[in-house]
Structure formats: C-alpha cells, structure tokens
Amino acid sequence: MLSCSCTGPGMAPAVSCYFLVVLLSASCEVVTSSDQMCIEKKTNKIYNCENLDLSEVPDTLPNTTEFLEFSFNSLPTIQNTTFRRLINLIFLDLTRCQINWIHENAFQSHPQLSTLVLTGNPLIFVAETALSGPESLKHLFLTQTGLFSLEFIPAHNLKNLESLYLGGNYISSMKFPKDFPTRNLKVLDFQNNAIHYLSREDMDSLRATTNLSLNFNGNDIKGIEPGAFKSMVFQSLKFGGTVNLSVIFSGLHNSTIQSLWLGTFEDTEDQDLSSSMLEGLCEMSVESMNLQKHHFSDLSSATFQCFTHLQELDLTATHLQKLPSGLKDMHSLKKLVLNVNKFNQLCQINADSFPSLTHLYLKGNVIKLQLGAGCLEKLENLQTLDLSHNDIEASDCCNLQLKNLSHLQSLNLSYNEPLGLRNEAFKACPRLELLDLAFTHLHVNAPQGPFQNLHLLQVLNLSHCFLDTSNQHLLAGLENLRHLNLQGNHFQDGNIPKTNLFQMVGSLEILVLSSCDLFSIDREAFHGLGNIVHVDLSHNNLTSDSINALSQFKGTYLNLATNSIRIIPPHLLPTLSQQNIINLSHNPLDCTCSNVHFLTWYKENVQKLEDFKETRCAYPPSLQGVQLSDVTLSCGITAVSIFFLTVFLFLLAALLLYTVKFFLRWKYQHL
Amino acid sequence: MTRFTTTLLVWTLISPGSGGPAADTAWPTHTACRNEGLEVLYQSCDPLQDFGFSVDQCSKQLKPNLRIRLGIILREDIKELYLDISLISKGASVLNYSYPICEVDLPKFSFCGRKKGEQVYYAGPVNNPGFDIFKGEYQILLELYNEKRATVACANVTVICS
C-alpha cells in the first residue's frame, strides 16, 4: 500500500494554505497484486501457463481447472501422477513440452478430458492404456510427433474420437489398424505426410464414417486404386499441392463430395490444367470446388464441360484474363470466385454463362479493372457482389455499371480509386442491405443524396471516404439504416454542429465516429437518434464537454477511448451511469481531488468499464500511469479536521473581537 | 508508512525495467547473405525465440522472385499470416508496407494453415519484385503476425550496400 499527499481543489489564500493542506489531508492508495506465474483467464477454470519452462503443474493452479494451456514447457515423461490433481480437465494443450514418454494410465483420473494437444513432441512411446480414462475423448492432436505408422496410436478408448490431426509426420499409408474405431470421425488430417498411394483397402476403414473431412494437403498423391472412393460421401476432401490432378479426378470416381479443394501454392511445382485432365469430374458429384493458383493451358468452353453440377467454383489467382464466352450448362453455379486475376474489364468474365449466380467475388484484381456498362445485367439473381481492391475509378457511378442487379443485397466497393456519386447513385440495386465503400474516395456534390431510394439499406461503411460531412443530404433516404461507419472522415472545425447529417438517419443503432479529429460535439447533435446501442467516439480529441451530447442515450456501449478527457464534472456522471459499457482508456485522466466525484463513481461502476487496465491517471505526476481502479482519494474533511477548523475559527473570532475591542478603546481614548 | 518506504515503493513501481521481466535476452546477429558489396544481417526481436533465415542470391541488383530459406518454430497458428515491413534510412522512415501471406480465402504458400508448435522449414520463392539497391545502410523491421496480432516472427534487419 502506498499513501501520498494530494493537492486540494482551487487556490487558497496564502495565509490559510498551509492550514488547509493539513485539514484536507487526502490520501490515495495503490494496491499491487503479486505477479502469478500462470495467467488466469477465468477464475478457477481457465489458465495459461505457456512458455514458463515448467517441469510440473504449479501448486498455484486450483484443482477445479478445466482449460489448461501448458505449451512450451518441459515434461519429458507423463505418468498418472503428472496431472492427477486436476481431475476436472476438459482441454489440455501440451504443445512442444518435449514429451518422450506417455506412460500407462497417464490420464486415468480425467473422465471429462475431451481435447488433448500433443503437437510437436518427440514421442518415443505411448503406452496402450495411456489414453484410457477420459469417458469421451473427442479431439486428439498428434501433429509433428514423429509418427511413422498409425499403429503407434493406442486405439484403446478412442471410440468417441471426432477429430484426429496427424499432419507433419512420416506416415506413408493411411490404413488404420483393424480395431481402430473410425466410426465417429468427422475430421481426419494427414497434411504434409508421405502418402503417395491410396488403395481400396486404405479407404475401407473409413467406409463407416459419415460426413468426414479428409485433408491430404502436401502429400503428393501419385496414384489412387480405381474404385477406392466408390460410393463414399465426404464433407470435404483436400488434395492441395498435388502435381497431377488427373490422378485425383480419376481416383474419385463415383464419390460424393461437398467441398473439393485442389488448389496449389506459390512454392509448389505446377502442371498446366488441360480440359482432358478435368474430364474425371463428370464421373463424380461435387458441390464446391477450389482450383486456386493453377494455370489453365487451353481455356475454352470444353474446360468447363464437366462443371455442370457444380454450385460453387473458386478460381482465385488462376491467371485468368477472360472467361470463354458461350459456356453452356453452367446453370447450377451459384457462387463464383474470381479474385486476384487479370481481367481488364468486367465484361470479360462473360457473366451471361452463369444465370443462376447469387454470389460473385472479384476482388484484388492484379490490374486496374474497368467496370464497363451493364456487364452483369444477366445476373438477375445476384445477391452478393464483391469488387473491392480493384483500382476501380468512375466519375459517375454506379447505375450504368450495376444495371439490372435488382436483387443485389450486399455490395462491396471498398479500397478502390475515386468514385463520383450523384443523386440516387444506386438506383439499379434498390434492395441493397449492405454497402461497403471504405477507403474509396467519394466525390459527392452538395446537396446531392447518393443513397436516396436505398430504403432497405441497414449497414453502410463510409470509413475513410473523404466525405463532405457538411452535406446534410448525404444520408437522405436511408430510413432503415442501422449501422453507420464514418471513421476517419472529417467535420468542419472538428465539431459536429446541432444540425447535421445524422438527422436523416433516425433508426441508427450503431454509429462509429472514431478517428474523425473531433474536438467537440454539440449537446443537441444526436437528438433524434433514439435507437442507438453502440457509439464509438474513440481516437478523437474530445473533452468531457462532449458527454453532454450523449445524455439522451441509455444502455449503450460507449467508446471514448483515446480522447482528451481529463476531468468529468459531477453533472455528467448520470449520463455515464445510464450506459451499459463504457471505455475510457487512454485518456489523460485527472486523479486529483478536483476529479474526486468521477473517481468515486469509477470505483462504484468498475464492472461497466471496458479495458479498465488501460484506464490510467495522467495527473498528478506522482500517480501518472496508475490504474484508476487502484486509486483511492479522500478529499473530504475528517472529524479531527472539523475539530481543528472549529478551534481555528473560534480563535479567529476571538482575535477579531479582541482587535475590534482594542481598536474601539484606542479610538475612544483619542477622542 | 514512512516517507522512506513510500519513496522506495514509488521507485520500484516506476523505475524502468525493474518490475518487468529480466533484462532482455538479445539473440545473436546472423548473416542472411554477404556478397558483391551487399551484406544483410538480421537479429530476432521476438523475446521468445530465434529463427534461421538466408537468401540464396545476394546482389545489389535484387532479382525478382528470390529464393529464401527459413526455419522456425511456430508459437501461433498461421491460418492467417501477415508481414509488416518498415524501412528506415538515416533515421527517417522511408516505407511502410503490409502484405498478406496466408489468408483464409487465399493461402499463397504450402505452409499456410500450420499449427502452433509445428516446426516450419521453407525453401522456396518469395514473389518479390526486382529492384536496385542504392548505396547506404538501411534498417528494416520485419514482423510476421497472425489474425490475433500475435507475433509469429520479428526481425531487425540491417542492409549494408557499399
């Protein structure tokens, strides 16, 4: 504990100054808690003991611990005594603990253990009964543990296993031992092993599973026995980085796969994809397919002849300059991803081929993309369109460009070059619910209202758009807008005046005005915003005067972090009290008696405060950097002080009386 | 409490370094490459660990698509991985750049998606543009981090071009 003196409020006349200081002998306290070794994330339940070089479970951990992150410690041997005390363990992460041995009955006393992470341990031997004990062990991570064979894993007590991670080992055959219970498996991960061949027998051990996700990324599969996957059903299959895709396609004959990932990588050698290699797709049922980073050797309508039943196709970074025109039978395609390609103009995707498309993603185009006119007009069912990060530039956007997209609900035009918007700029897509224009410079001439007629729009992101915020019609017509982000835009003189653009959006629930260089907000600026539940005013230069503008908000999340708030006078405290959660971190808060009302309020409401560890004093210098919650000021007058004050006043009165008496006597004597 | 104890307590609380972790262990400075009047030195600024890094060709006319070798233990999952580069020359910041290496919808490299605790050895291209390096000494801060902004690797690089 620490006590120190504190300056009194106001300037006292010199004579009584010393006296007052004695009287108002305020004290403040700092309580520091001793550093614990493990970090407590949730009392008695969740602990993090990572990177502590521990060789045993510390005594400070309570017996009730349920989640224990114990990675990067040192436990060469695990036996039944190692974790015996923590009988309630549900999750145990032992990543890179240099474990060599897991002895018999190591987890015998942990009936609730559901997840065991052993990633990166140089396992020499795991005893037959090492994993017995848990009544329902569901997730087992054996990534990079030096496994050569699946026989190494003690199969005893794995009947409830749902996910098994075996990546980064030396496994060359995925054949499970006979008694290995695979029935409940949902996730089976063989990434980065040495599996080159999949036989019928290998796959037979997985026939009992349903909706399995199987990951063979980073195994160069060179052969699959015909019929190995016959009539099997998978949630997802991944063969990422496989050089010869025709092996995969012919091997998967007669299988049903919801999601097939066949992409490649920057560092993987690649073979050009030809139409003939993709023919195998006709003999299987795939809903969604990813071919990222491949090269097509002879892109034509023949390339897509077996894509007829596909619903989702991802061609991210496949070096495309155009898609062939006149593709037939792509009527089922609902979602198309063409990110990071080399289209010159939007019309080059030949959108007419995909009349059922509901989702189109074309972001991060390598070269500047021209939107053209009406390039997507045949996509009548389109609901989601992402055209972000494309260097798109248009002086008059977006009715011609988005012609006929009357069902569009979500449009992303963020991170583009300047766009000029006029009145009713999005008339072509009246059903928009979400519009993202973040970091795209917008030219809007006042008093035009580009968002008029977007009656269904709920979310509008205009962060860093360099808007003219004095245009009061900017947000006209957005009667259902719930979420508005204006981060990084500037207001004239750093002030939000009484009449402003928010008067048009009375249904607003979430308002973000962070990093807007605000110095003040008029006390009536937010009148009419009755539904607000979340206000972010962080990273501005606001002082406590601006809290007046928030007096009508109730039960909101209020972020005032990183502003210039120093003293919050008592009359503003009710406004804070009526909010739900408040963030006042990183403000130059005053911890002297001049702010005592707020400091008292803070202590009583600490459960409302977010980020309270970063809410610190800036004044006086002696308390700089101390958390507000650790400061106790007593600025009141104590009983002893009252006694002394009374005596002082009494003496003063006596002195005065005596002086008067003396003066009068002196005066009469000289009459 | 006496004035002495008070002073002592205040001092322990605010004096730099005394309350925090023990004096930082500085990792040794390694040479990533040295050739033709170009020298690239680096030092890990992750307090938890060092890592190994080398560049195959080292020349003042930096070639595009350089091959590098990198060996590191992951202390975080890297389903998402980002690289921040800040270049400082003569004490002034010249360039700040952020580049996504692994994203959920675009895992560019085969190591994307590896898990905490895995050891990664990467030998391959880095997809950089080619450019000439002018004479001088440059400081580069490289930071690899994931979606939680948790550090995966951190390096203070010194490039000396003579």
Side-chain angles (χ1 to χ4, degrees):
Chain A
M1 243 187 239
L2 171 78
S3 59
C4 58
S5 61
C6 179
T7 51
M11 292 298 287
V15 187
S16 52
C17 183
Y18 175 77
F19 202 75
L20 270 173
V21 169
V22 174
L23 282 175
L24 307 172
S25 58
S27 69
C28 44
E29 298 164 296
V30 179
V31 184
T32 51
S33 58
S34 63
D35 278 13
Q36 265 194 321
M37 288 220 292
C38 298
I39 299 164
E40 183 175 79
K41 289 185 155 181
K42 191 175 171 194
T43 314
N44 293 333
K45 296 235 150 92
I46 305 179
Y47 290 86
N48 183 331
C49 305
E50 289 182 349
N51 303 308
L52 294 174
D53 212 16
L54 301 169
S55 54
E56 58 178 12
V57 173
D59 294 334
T60 47
L61 282 188
N63 292 350
T64 49
T65 305
E66 291 177 2
F67 283 69
L68 180 57
E69 290 171 336
F70 206 76
S71 44
F72 302 98
N73 286 303
S74 175
L75 293 172
T77 307
I78 293 185
Q79 38 205 343
N80 61 358
T81 51
T82 314
F83 294 100
R84 185 157 59 191
R85 200 166 56 80
L86 310 179
I87 52 168
N88 291 326
L89 278 180
I90 295 172
F91 173 94
L92 180 59
D93 184 350
L94 297 174
T95 295
R96 256 183 212 271
C97 283
Q98 303 162 46
I99 304 167
N100 293 135
W101 310 96
I102 305 181
H103 290 313
E104 50 280 14
N105 300 323
F107 299 102
Q108 195 58 54
S109 43
H110 304 90
Q112 298 186 66
L113 189 67
S114 141
T115 303
L116 180 61
V117 186
L118 293 166
T119 304
N121 285 295
L123 298 178
I124 297 170
F125 188 73
V126 180
E128 197 58 40
T129 56
L131 302 177
S132 66
E135 278 159 20
S136 151
L137 186 63
K138 285 190 173 141
H139 313 286
L140 182 59
F141 292 75
L142 289 166
T143 310
Q144 276 195 3
T145 48
L147 297 192
F148 279 92
S149 154
L150 296 175
E151 308 261 356
F152 185 89
I153 310 164
H156 181 68
N157 198 30
L158 294 183
K159 59 184 181 304
N160 293 308
L161 207 62
E162 287 177 14
S163 39
L164 180 57
Y165 294 86
L166 298 166
N169 287 303
Y170 310 104
I171 299 165
S172 57
S173 160
M174 63 152 294
K175 192 183 167 212
F176 279 93
K178 247 202 183 96
D179 52 347
F180 201 100
T182 54
R183 179 175 286 273
N184 289 318
L185 277 181
K186 296 273 177 264
V187 176
L188 186 51
D189 186 341
F190 280 108
Q191 274 190 78
N192 308 307
N193 274 289
I195 302 171
H196 300 309
Y197 188 75
L198 297 172
S199 71
R200 253 182 119 105
E201 211 186 339
D202 290 344
M203 298 310 298
D204 278 345
S205 47
L206 297 176
R207 282 196 187 272
T209 61
T210 47
N211 283 331
L212 182 67
S213 294
L214 191 50
N215 188 342
F216 288 114
N217 279 358
N219 289 277
D220 191 13
I221 306 282
K222 296 196 165 89
I224 299 177
E225 187 177 348
F229 285 82
K230 195 177 171 190
S231 35
M232 291 185 75
V233 180
F234 293 95
Q235 174 69 40
S236 116
L237 268 185
K238 292 188 174 184
F239 290 97
T242 302
V243 174
N244 191 348
L245 283 191
S246 43
V247 169
I248 307 294
F249 282 120
S250 56
L252 295 181
H253 270 194
N254 287 318
S255 59
T256 304
I257 302 151
Q258 203 162 76
S259 156
L260 180 60
W261 208 90
L262 298 170
T264 184
F265 307 102
E266 211 119 294
D267 53 308
T268 312
E269 67 168 309
D270 187 22
Q271 200 177 28
D272 281 5
L273 278 182
S274 65
S275 309
S276 57
M277 285 169 95
L278 298 165
E279 275 169 11
L281 200 57
C282 286
E283 310 292 324
M284 55 204 264
S285 164
V286 179
E287 208 167 275
S288 154
M289 184 163 70
N290 186 316
L291 292 170
Q292 76 155 37
K293 284 196 160 286
H294 279 289
H295 277 91
F296 289 96
S297 61
D298 54 345
L299 200 67
S300 66
S301 51
T303 312
F304 299 98
Q305 61 185 341
C306 290
F307 288 40
T308 45
H309 297 293
L310 221 52
Q311 293 195 17
E312 300 181 10
L313 178 60
D314 190 327
L315 297 173
T316 296
T318 46
H319 318 272
L320 295 174
Q321 292 179 334
K322 63 177 294 195
L323 284 178
S325 57
L327 292 181
K328 293 187 185 85
D329 310 319
M330 292 282 276
H331 292 286
S332 335
L333 203 67
K334 294 249 162 50
K335 178 178 162 184
L336 179 61
V337 184
L338 296 170
N339 300 340
V340 201
N341 280 299
K342 296 175 180 165
F343 298 105
N344 224 322
Q345 213 205 36
L346 194 53
C347 286
Q348 286 166 334
I349 71 167
N350 281 303
D352 316 10
S353 310
F354 321 103
S356 310
L357 221 53
T358 55
H359 293 70
L360 176 61
Y361 300 85
L362 202 167
K363 68 171 179 184
N365 202 50
V366 177
I367 53 175
K368 193 179 177 78
L369 183 75
Q370 316 275 343
L371 284 184
C375 294
L376 305 177
E377 64 183 335
K378 293 285 162 62
L379 302 182
E380 286 172 358
N381 300 309
L382 201 65
Q383 291 167 13
T384 301
L385 177 60
D386 186 348
L387 292 169
S388 58
H389 296 270
N390 284 336
D391 288 342
I392 293 169
E393 199 172 349
S395 56
D396 185 9
C397 209
C398 299
N399 286 321
L400 204 57
Q401 292 86 343
L402 304 176
K403 201 172 149 190
N404 218 16
L405 296 180
S406 57
H407 285 82
L408 203 63
Q409 291 170 5
S410 165
L411 174 62
N412 189 347
L413 281 167
S414 62
Y415 296 92
N416 279 302
E417 293 295 310
L419 297 180
L421 303 180
R422 299 193 189 160
N423 265 335
E424 303 191 337
F426 298 93
K427 205 175 177 181
C429 18
R431 295 206 189 169
L432 272 186
E433 289 172 17
L434 186 152
L435 178 57
D436 189 349
L437 291 161
F439 290 90
T440 297
H441 200 140
L442 299 179
H443 292 299
V444 182
N445 289 330
Q448 303 214 321
F451 309 115
Q452 271 166 23
N453 85 304
L454 292 182
H455 306 298
L456 302 175
L457 199 71
Q458 297 193 10
V459 182
L460 178 59
N461 187 349
L462 294 173
S463 56
H464 301 274
C465 285
F466 296 90
L467 289 167
D468 171 16
T469 48
S470 59
N471 175 3
Q472 306 203 5
H473 296 271
L474 188 73
L475 303 174
L478 297 172
E479 60 236 35
N480 278 308
L481 194 69
R482 287 156 66 173
H483 184 162
L484 175 63
N485 188 341
L486 283 172
Q487 181 179 354
N489 287 288
H490 291 210
F491 288 78
Q492 207 169 9
D493 305 324
N495 174 49
I496 302 182
K498 189 176 168 184
T499 43
N500 55 49
L501 70 176
F502 302 118
Q503 262 114 42
M504 296 282 184
V505 281
S507 57
L508 222 50
E509 290 170 13
I510 299 173
L511 176 60
V512 181
L513 286 168
S514 57
S515 308
C516 288
D517 279 339
L518 290 173
F519 284 89
S520 60
I521 301 173
D522 187 275
R523 63 167 65 218
E524 289 175 41
F526 296 139
H527 268 209
L529 299 181
N531 299 334
I532 291 280
V533 293
H534 179 121
V535 199
D536 185 352
L537 293 165
S538 62
H539 295 270
N540 284 301
N541 303 304
L542 297 171
T543 57
S544 57
D545 289 347
S546 300
I547 295 175
N548 280 315
L550 311 169
S551 60
Q552 42 154 341
F553 296 157
K554 286 191 177 69
T556 65
Y557 165 86
L558 178 59
N559 192 346
L560 287 165
T562 323
N563 273 291
S564 305
I565 298 172
R566 220 185 124 172
I567 292 174
I568 302 181
H571 72 274
L572 293 174
L573 295 176
T575 300
L576 293 184
S577 293
Q578 70 199 21
Q579 313 307 335
N580 225 353
I581 295 172
I582 304 158
N583 191 335
L584 284 164
S585 63
H586 301 283
N587 274 292
L589 290 164
D590 192 317
C591 294
T592 65
C593 286
S594 25
N595 206 14
V596 68
H597 295 284
F598 167 66
L599 292 166
T600 315
W601 175 90
Y602 187 92
K603 286 229 145 192
E604 287 163 1
N605 292 277
V606 87
Q607 80 286 350
K608 279 190 177 185
L609 286 140
E610 187 187 61
D611 222 357
F612 69 91
K613 284 188 176 154
E614 292 303 323
T615 311
R616 297 166 186 271
C617 305
Y619 308 96
S622 60
L623 289 175
Q624 199 171 8
V626 173
Q627 283 179 29
L628 242 64
S629 47
D630 292 341
V631 174
T632 309
L633 285 184
S634 44
C635 302
I637 300 172
T638 60
V640 182
S641 313
I642 291 171
F643 173 73
F644 277 113
L645 188 66
T646 319
V647 170
F648 174 71
L649 289 175
F650 185 73
L651 285 173
L652 202 69
L655 191 74
L656 199 73
L657 218 71
Y658 182 76
T659 316
V660 169
K661 199 173 157 191
F662 182 81
F663 176 75
L664 287 174
R665 188 179 292 169
W666 181 81
K667 211 175 169 188
Y668 281 108
Q669 271 176 357
H670 288 79
L671 266 176
Chain B
M1 242 181 258
T2 63
R3 185 159 288 251
F4 172 72
T5 10
T6 311
T7 324
L8 191 74
L9 265 167
V10 171
W11 182 76
T12 27
L13 279 172
I14 61 172
S15 65
S18 65
D24 295 15
T25 23
W27 298 106
T29 302
H30 309 285
T31 309
C33 74
R34 180 183 289 155
N35 195 14
E36 288 177 40
L38 184 72
E39 198 176 348
V40 181
L41 307 169
Y42 74 93
Q43 184 186 29
S44 169
C45 38
D46 179 352
L48 289 174
Q49 64 176 14
D50 201 356
F51 67 94
F53 175 75
S54 73
V55 185
D56 279 10
Q57 306 104 353
C58 199
S59 87
K60 282 187 253 184
Q61 284 90 41
L62 201 72
K63 294 196 180 75
N65 235 4
L66 281 178
R67 280 183 66 83
I68 61 149
R69 299 194 310 126
L70 172 74
I72 192 169
I73 288 173
L74 298 178
R75 292 192 174 248
E76 299 290 335
D77 289 357
I78 53 166
K79 197 167 191 170
E80 288 178 45
L81 182 67
Y82 303 92
L83 172 67
D84 274 10
I85 303 172
S86 16
L87 174 65
I88 298 151
S89 174
K90 293 174 193 139
S93 175
V94 179
L95 175 83
N96 281 306
Y97 189 66
S98 188
Y99 181 77
I101 297 174
C102 304
E103 291 168 287
V104 176
D105 60 357
L106 179 53
K108 291 195 180 82
F109 293 89
S110 58
F111 55 74
C112 294
R114 297 279 194 101
K115 299 240 159 28
K116 176 182 92 176
E118 282 201 73
Q119 138 194 353
V120 171
Y121 173 71
Y122 177 76
V126 287
N127 198 11
N128 62 298
F131 54 87
D132 291 350
I133 303 170
F134 299 112
K135 261 189 189 169
E137 192 176 316
Y138 306 92
Q139 301 293 325
I140 304 170
L141 177 66
L142 297 179
E143 221 185 331
L144 287 169
Y145 56 90
N146 71 358
E147 68 274 18
K148 293 183 286 181
R149 201 60 179 80
T151 302
V152 173
C154 172
N156 277 318
V157 182
T158 309
V159 178
I160 304 161
C161 186
S162 51

